[in-house]
Amino acid sequence: MFGTAGCGSVTARAPAPAPPSVMVWPSFDGRNARTDRGMVVRARGGTLDAVLAYAGGQPVPGHLDATRTIWRSDWALKPGTEHTVTATATRPGAPSTVAMGRFRTRTPQRTFRVASAVPLPGETVGVGMPIILTFDAPVRDRAAVERALEVRAERPVEGAWRWVGDTQAVYRPREFWPARQRVTVVAHLAGVRAGPGVYGAADRSLTFTVGRAQTSTVDTRTHQMTVRRDGRVAQRMAISAGMATTREYTTTSGVHLTMDKGNPVRMVSPGRSKGDPGYYDLLIDHAVRISNSGEYVHAKDNVWAQGRVNVSHGCINSRPDQAAWFYAGSLRGDPVTITGTDRELEWDNGWGYWQLPWEEWVKGSALHAPDAAQRPAPATPAQPLPQR
């Protein structure tokens, strides 16, 4: 007799999903990591649940992409600093992965920084005010530096930087600033590569306030100046403009900005020596400068000419009491638009930046110029930092 074997079914258990992987660049344990390419954390086979990054104990700002698989630092990394990273990746049905480590960024031998900034921190300015940053070394990689310049306004505007040389960048909104708001400028320069072997040493920030909206118009043909505050006429002034016997004595037409003021200001005739015809050396009261070619709105006792004829050496003369009023109420960056002469204000004469149409202005930007989109991005695991 033979035994009969029973048959049974065996169900194979499916393997558990593999945990996601996490990659961090710069690599952990590095002692000489690059700063200019930022930090990138990537998840494979899952999504990033949390990324905590610190530089010398301070949080490193960054953001996740829409798929939550890539986290990037917003700016370059602080040089000569130990960075720590903790990143957690998850996947449904699989154990999570936690990557923890540290690396140190390199210390550059040559650095650059912001040498001066306009406006001053805490200053209240007019609606036409530019932001002017001057660097202490030539900037060869303008796009990298411009990408690190952030402007935050309480009432956001469209604006762009324009390079006016290797060491200076100027920011201008497309239209005048909306009045009565705070604006913060942050130059995230720490670790940014300005050129071969030259890196940003430190960030720089400032906050200023845009005050009331004061705009002035000057018609040299009717010899009248009208000052408006917040759209309402605040003062009408009879004036006398440049006599126009020479180019230097011709008032420039265009959109000027008030730049500074003094009471008094010493004014000396250009290109003339004592004893020459037309020579003068005078102290002028309540003078508000509007260009770099010697133009001011200032007090003058030639009331007989004001409102009637142009007799000045290029400045806008006004009645002493009205000049004092204008002087007292002027902020740096107040627009003064002059018409009626055949000499145009150059865009780079003082703060004549509003002379350029917007389409021309952005051509001076390393990021917004028409050919900027065609310029190759640097080959790097960390894609170009987000434009701010």
Side-chain angles (χ1 to χ4, degrees), residues 113-131:
R113 65 181 69 230
V114 174
S116 64
V118 175
L120 298 173
E123 183 176 359
T124 298
V125 301
V127 295
M129 189 70 186
I131 300 168

Side-chain angles (χ1 to χ4, degrees), residues 113-118 132-137 167-169 204:
R113 65 181 69 230
V114 174
S116 64
V118 175
I132 306 171
L133 298 181
T134 303
F135 306 101
D136 65 356
T167 60
Q168 192 172 83
R204 173 76 175 268

Side-chain angles (χ1 to χ4, degrees), residues 225-263:
M225 176 174 176
T226 303
V227 183
R228 290 177 172 83
R229 285 185 181 166
D230 298 320
R232 297 184 177 183
V233 174
Q235 187 74 271
R236 298 187 189 276
M237 303 161 60
I239 60 93
S240 180
M243 64 182 74
T245 54
T246 64
R247 176 176 172 78
E248 63 186 350
Y249 289 164
T250 302
T251 303
T252 58
S253 287
V255 182
H256 305 66
L257 296 178
T258 55
M259 301 177 67
D260 57 39
K261 55 187 180 181
N263 183 36

Side-chain angles (χ1 to χ4, degrees), residues 20-21 82 197 227 305:
S21 62
E82 183 169 275
V227 183

